[in-house]
Amino acid sequence: MKIVALAGGVGGAKLVDGLAQLLSPENLTIIVNTGDDFKYRGLYISPDLDTVCYTLAGLANPDTGWGRNGETFQVLENLQKLGVLKWFHLGDQDLATHIERTYLINEGLFLSQITRSFCHSWGVEYSILPMSDQPVSTMVDTIDEGELPFQEYFVRRKCEPKVKGFRFAGIDAAVPAPGVIEAIMQADSVVVCPSNPWVSIDPICAVNGLCDILATKINVAVSPIIGNRTFKGPAAKMFIELGIQPSPLAVARHYKKFLTGFILDKMDEKLKQEMSVPTLATKILMKDRDDRRRLAQDVLNLIQSLQ
Ligand code: GDP
Ligand code: CA
């Protein structure tokens, strides 16, 4: 079975790891959000792409789900001594990635080419594609502080400002990265990982033409919400601030334009009767690699039943 997975960072990477335990590299392509990308001290940083790559390379920090395993922070500590405000965690090993990516971008290479080359170096055989090679920047519109670039909102302001909307700056000029459309066309199904619907999956779907192709496929999403809470991050808070009661149902409604199957937690099984697409209730918390594989198997089983 050929699968395309749409992923943000930590939540996305967990399910992607599960899928990679079951599918060979020819049968799994991952399309990753780049709306979180930003520049720090002149370095081009692509957090979600790195989280997915590090996870599949076995290099990710197992405790945080992002950043590198066994990381040190000497460069950051020394930057602080020079008066640089520390609001973003930048590990020493991670910095090597950002330095080389920035160099190659300045040499004129595309993000998709650089990612392919890095994956090759890290021994990752799966195709990990940025959603676009053109820069797209997620802007969070807040009630009290106006529009904030995503990392300002997420890291510096710790998701505290109340959200009233989102804008994906640069989206009109962005086209899908090479291979993105082909992978979706050839896939038996698209898996929407349990990533933040507003700021991880929406930017991917907003890239020119992607939403229209998705509408022609079997698409299965996994809820990032149990009950009315997320496992991590601001997705539930965003739903509330936008006037929507957070729940797996709200997530499914969010994807209603293209959704054909849905997975929610056993705890929310009663919501199945309110769902407008075939829905499976299972354990969706991924505490370890076995949980990831089990959930990925549930996803593949649901897809099979929809074919
Ligand atoms: P980010 O870019 O690092 O914020 O990561 P994503 O957007 O990919 O994922 C964030 C979402 O992942 C949050 O809404 C979490 O609720 C969800 N998440 C994290 N861990 C799990 C898990 O084990 N199971 C499920 N179903 N969702 C998870
Ligand atoms: Ca992210």
Side-chain angles (χ1 to χ4, degrees):
M1 196 183 324
K2 267 196 186 314
I3 299 292
V4 162
L6 308 184
V10 173
K14 286 186 188 176
L15 186 61
V16 163
D17 179 39
L19 290 165
Q21 292 181 56
L22 300 170
L23 298 166
S24 60
E26 321 78 83
N27 290 330
L28 176 61
T29 299
I30 306 111
I31 300 171
V32 183
N33 171 43
T34 56
D36 298 2
D37 293 13
F38 69 111
K39 278 200 162 173
Y40 183 73
R41 311 320 281 184
L43 295 175
Y44 186 104
I45 302 184
S46 193
D48 289 356
L49 211 44
D50 289 342
T51 296
V52 172
C53 292
Y54 291 159
T55 300
L56 287 192
L59 298 171
N61 178 335
D63 300 325
T64 55
W66 52 269
R68 294 281 292 260
N69 199 6
E71 188 61 292
T72 52
F73 292 89
Q74 298 210 14
V75 173
L76 194 65
E77 281 161 24
N78 282 279
L79 281 171
Q80 275 181 278
K81 286 182 191 158
L82 296 175
V84 177
L85 198 66
K86 176 192 142 185
W87 58 269
F88 194 77
H89 277 275
L90 269 187
D92 298 329
Q93 302 179 77
D94 197 22
L95 262 167
T97 307
H98 309 318
I99 290 170
E100 184 59 7
R101 175 165 42 223
T102 305
Y103 173 78
L104 294 172
I105 286 202
N106 290 338
E107 288 288 293
L109 270 75
F110 291 116
L111 186 59
S112 55
Q113 295 173 294
I114 299 167
T115 307
R116 190 165 55 236
S117 154
F118 285 6
C119 281
H120 181 74
S121 304
W122 290 324
V124 176
E125 291 178 49
Y126 293 87
S127 298
I128 302 176
L129 308 174
M131 64 192 202
S132 177
D133 276 330
Q134 287 76 43
V136 174
S137 304
T138 296
M139 307 293 291
V140 184
D141 198 9
T142 68
I143 290 175
D144 293 323
E145 299 177 32
E147 216 177 41
L148 300 173
F150 182 75
Q151 298 297 339
E152 290 266 323
Y153 163 81
F154 191 71
V155 184
R156 197 177 60 78
R157 294 293 292 113
K158 301 189 172 66
C159 308
E160 279 165 17
K162 279 206 175 102
V163 164
K164 61 174 181 177
F166 304 95
R167 181 169 70 91
F168 307 124
I171 200 78
D172 291 343
V175 295
V180 164
I181 298 290
E182 295 80 347
I184 297 178
M185 298 282 279
Q186 287 164 16
D188 295 300
S189 176
V190 175
V191 174
V192 181
C193 289
S195 291
N196 186 314
W198 302 99
V199 293
S200 289
I201 301 299
D202 280 0
I204 303 177
C205 298
V207 176
N208 224 327
L210 271 188
C211 201
D212 294 340
I213 311 190
L214 283 183
T216 66
K217 308 297 294 189
I218 295 173
N219 305 292
V220 169
V222 176
S223 179
I225 292 185
I226 288 191
N228 59 5
R229 306 178 58 166
T230 48
F231 297 93
K232 172 194 163 281
K237 182 175 177 283
M238 287 170 171
F239 273 105
I240 293 171
E241 290 166 0
L242 294 165
I244 304 164
Q245 170 68 27
S247 71
L249 202 58
V251 175
R253 286 189 181 132
H254 189 89
Y255 296 136
K256 67 174 183 293
K257 271 196 192 148
F258 57 79
L259 196 67
T260 49
F262 193 63
I263 296 192
L264 44 65
D265 195 73
K266 273 239 176 279
M267 208 191 95
D268 293 314
E269 190 148 19
K270 58 185 182 306
L271 293 177
K272 269 174 75 173
Q273 60 205 45
E274 294 179 56
M275 296 289 308
S276 55
V277 294
T279 298
L280 177 78
T282 185
K283 183 186 166 206
I284 65 166
L285 169 62
M286 294 171 277
K287 277 198 183 143
D288 54 31
R289 294 199 71 208
D290 286 344
D291 285 345
R292 296 173 182 181
R293 193 193 62 249
R294 271 192 291 270
L295 181 54
Q297 188 62 62
D298 288 331
V299 170
L300 298 183
N301 293 346
L302 177 60
I303 291 168
Q304 216 146 31
S305 75
L306 295 172
Q307 278 175 329

